[in-house]
Amino acid sequence: MSAECGEPGPEGPQGPSPGPGGLPGASGLGPCAPRTTSAPWSLPLWRAHAAAAVLCYVNLLNYMHWFIIPGVLLDVQKFFQISDSCAGLLQTVFIGCLLLSAPVFGYLGDRHSRKATLSIGILLWSGAGLSSSFISPQYSWLFFLSRGVVGTGSASYSTIAPTILGDLFVRDQRTRVLAIFYIFIPVGSGLGYMLGSAVLQLTGNWRWALRVMPCLEAVALVLLIVLVPDPPRGAAEKQEEVAMGGPRSSWWEDVRYLGRNWSFVWSTLGVTAVAFVTGALGFWAPRFLFEARVVHGLQCPCLQEPCNSQDSLIFGALTVVTGIIGVVLGAEASRRYKKVNPRAEPLLCAGSLLVAAPCLYLALILAPTTFLASYVLLALGELLLSCNWAVVADILLSVVVPRCRGTAEALQITVGHILGDASSPYLTGLVSSTLRAGRPDSYLQAFLSLQQSFLCCAFVIALGGGCFLLTALRLEWDQARARAPGTGTPDGEDTERRALLSGAGAATEDP
């Protein structure tokens, strides 16, 4: 096919040159791609793996910061004297600032140095987290503001880091690396609960957990600067940046392209459903489990801080274990099933969510009567939800052209957080407070109010499964568009149609 397209590529008589991650030919241009004057980009295999390890470590710290506060929520509420609805608003402020910042970082990540943007984000969330540990009780509004700044810093990492991995690895290697990267979402979340709880037990002061994190993040920043490269966009897929071979499209043109990409649209709505449920569970589940133990007579009520944080430790460990198993199972099942069915990824996501929905529903319903069964079903539901993380990221990277991936990640984060975990903790707390206001003041009624506010999560996750079924209908077409050189550039619809036809032809020849 290369003979028909003009000039030979950079392969030479000895075969393709190694690209990023040690992949043959991964640094060259596709045979029909626009000509460029740039030299092929390559990276030693060990350096690609070292960069991936650093990005995984920072991802771990990122999600630990997300869930330190939920792990000590009762103590935070008593320290600042805030209600359930205000406590839920604390996470909403965090996520709200994250989603407002994500499009900005996505724009910067597609056009400027991704390493510099990540470094600024780490400095931002680390500094805000440390300073928030010194806020006195009468300035609770300042604590809310600091959590918003932490969310802003986190947006840079959540938006840009997956696109760097997408440009270092390809195909099965990328699936495996993304699986490892996304393992650290549940692992970091669980360790966040556990760190907050453990520091509280050791020091009697929950604020010391926020003072430990900057030490770890300083190490992460140094490793990021030394070991993580900033590869050209699309380097691992034999594509170069549009700016190197043609005009750079505007942000609005990128958004229009993504809006016409139905696999991206439906998978984003599916991710939003997952985010809604994980946001509500992640913030309120330790509190729910604590009150369930009180109802069963296994725990004394918490009347003043420090509260017993055993449930945060248990839920954190549960999140770590189910997260590791779920991400590995999801990625491996996707990798194997793709060889049989090209629509395996969205079908796997849909199946896991449709099974998770009744598990979560039964876990909530059975909590007042059988505590053990509730824990088992909750663990199974968390495992099934975790199966989606790496698979969803792989779907996005496979259906979006490399030059738009930062913007795509940003839009998916923004929509997922606006309709998902930015609103679900606050809505859950608001419904719980509303139900509790009309009932007798007792721990049983407080528990039942929180339980009933959780029930909508089961129905939302079932809707997410339906969105992934719709993704499966469009997946192959959108993947062909993403592989076609020139797709989504501002050259007009006729050029895009020709690119799609050539991409479809290449897809049939590709083993």
Side-chain angles (χ1 to χ4, degrees):
M1 198 171 164
S2 60
E4 299 174 5
C5 299
E7 299 280 341
E11 300 180 3
Q14 303 301 321
S17 59
L23 301 176
S27 61
L29 297 178
C32 297
R35 296 181 187 180
T36 70
T37 58
S38 62
W41 187 85
S42 63
L43 191 73
L45 180 62
W46 72 267
R47 181 76 183 280
H49 287 164
V54 172
L55 292 174
C56 288
Y57 172 62
V58 185
N59 200 36
L60 174 75
L61 300 181
N62 183 23
Y63 279 89
M64 285 177 70
H65 239 314
W66 282 44
F67 290 97
I68 283 179
I69 298 302
V72 291
L73 183 58
L74 276 171
D75 293 271
V76 173
Q77 285 185 265
K78 293 186 180 301
F79 182 79
F80 288 108
Q81 295 296 307
I82 54 178
S83 64
D84 284 357
S85 58
C86 287
L89 187 61
L90 189 64
Q91 190 76 346
T92 298
V93 170
F94 175 89
I95 301 295
C97 290
L98 185 149
L99 66 90
L100 289 175
S101 307
V104 176
F105 286 117
Y107 180 89
L108 294 174
D110 280 341
R111 290 159 177 81
H112 302 287
S113 169
R114 290 180 284 189
K115 180 190 283 192
T117 307
L118 290 178
S119 301
I120 292 170
I122 293 173
L123 286 172
L124 195 60
W125 92 57
S126 179
L130 177 62
S131 62
S132 69
S133 69
F134 297 101
I135 296 172
S136 59
Q138 61 265 35
Y139 295 106
S140 60
W141 63 270
L142 194 55
F143 187 75
F144 279 72
L145 180 62
S146 69
R147 293 302 294 171
V149 177
V150 173
T152 300
S154 295
S156 68
Y157 197 80
S158 301
T159 302
I160 295 172
T163 69
I164 295 179
L165 291 175
D167 289 332
L168 291 175
F169 302 93
V170 74
R171 296 187 182 178
D172 281 356
Q173 272 193 324
R174 184 167 70 191
T175 300
R176 292 191 185 99
V177 170
L178 284 174
I180 297 171
F181 180 79
Y182 282 100
I183 278 175
F184 289 96
I185 292 180
V187 171
S189 303
L191 290 179
Y193 293 119
M194 296 171 73
L195 176 65
S197 177
V199 170
L200 176 63
Q201 289 184 358
L202 289 173
T203 66
N205 189 340
W206 59 270
R207 290 179 292 177
W208 276 103
L210 296 174
R211 297 167 187 170
V212 171
M213 291 299 297
C215 302
L216 302 175
E217 288 153 353
V219 175
L221 182 60
V222 172
L223 292 175
L224 178 74
I225 293 171
V226 173
L227 293 177
V228 177
D230 192 356
R233 279 74 170 171
E237 294 156 311
K238 306 180 184 179
Q239 301 182 54
E240 293 287 350
E241 298 182 53
V242 174
M244 298 171 66
R248 171 73 242 187
S249 61
S250 68
W251 181 83
W252 179 244
E253 286 170 327
D254 290 350
V255 173
R256 287 180 58 202
Y257 158 73
L258 293 170
R260 296 194 300 266
N261 188 324
W262 286 105
S263 293
F264 171 76
V265 171
W266 288 118
S267 63
T268 297
L269 292 176
V271 170
T272 301
V274 176
F276 186 95
V277 175
T278 55
L281 286 177
F283 194 78
W284 289 109
R287 163 82 179 271
F288 175 78
L289 294 170
F290 177 87
E291 293 187 350
R293 288 168 61 84
V294 173
V295 169
H296 283 275
L298 303 173
Q299 174 69 51
C300 296
C302 178
L303 302 177
Q304 61 180 9
E305 60 172 318
C307 299
N308 189 315
S309 54
Q310 178 182 358
D311 293 289
S312 293
L313 282 172
I314 295 173
F315 186 73
L318 195 68
T319 301
V320 170
V321 173
T322 57
I324 292 174
I325 297 173
V327 171
V328 171
L329 282 178
E332 189 62 21
S334 169
R335 189 183 68 83
R336 293 176 181 272
Y337 191 26
K338 272 193 295 188
K339 298 176 181 178
V340 179
N341 187 341
R343 300 176 180 179
E345 291 164 323
L347 291 176
L348 178 67
C349 291
S352 64
L353 295 187
L354 292 174
V355 177
C359 290
L360 292 176
Y361 182 82
L362 290 173
L364 296 170
I365 292 296
L366 295 176
T369 55
T370 169
F371 194 60
L372 179 60
S374 179
Y375 247 122
V376 171
L377 289 167
L378 183 62
L380 181 58
E382 278 206 297
L383 186 148
L384 292 168
L385 290 174
S386 298
C387 288
N388 292 271
W389 293 118
V391 181
V392 167
D394 217 8
I395 290 174
L396 184 148
L397 293 173
S398 71
V399 301
V400 175
V401 293
R403 67 174 182 81
C404 291
R405 284 175 182 165
T407 300
E409 289 280 357
L411 286 178
Q412 190 168 89
I413 288 171
T414 301
V415 174
H417 289 319
I418 288 176
L419 302 177
D421 53 357
S423 56
S424 62
Y426 175 67
L427 291 175
T428 303
L430 181 63
V431 172
S432 175
S433 293
T434 303
L435 292 174
R436 190 172 179 177
R439 295 176 174 177
D441 186 13
S442 70
Y443 249 86
L444 176 60
Q445 294 303 321
F447 168 75
L448 292 176
S449 298
L450 189 56
Q451 177 207 39
Q452 290 161 12
S453 67
F454 263 139
L455 290 177
C456 66
C457 291
F459 300 99
V460 170
I461 207 66
L463 290 176
C467 290
F468 280 115
L469 290 176
L470 292 171
T471 304
L473 298 178
R474 289 282 305 188
L475 184 72
E476 291 178 276
W477 170 253
D478 288 325
Q479 285 177 332
R481 290 180 68 194
R483 283 194 294 264
T487 302
T489 60
D491 298 329
E493 293 185 359
D494 290 338
T495 302
E496 184 169 334
R497 289 194 186 99
R498 289 195 296 271
L500 293 179
L501 290 173
S502 65
T508 58
E509 296 175 12
D510 193 22

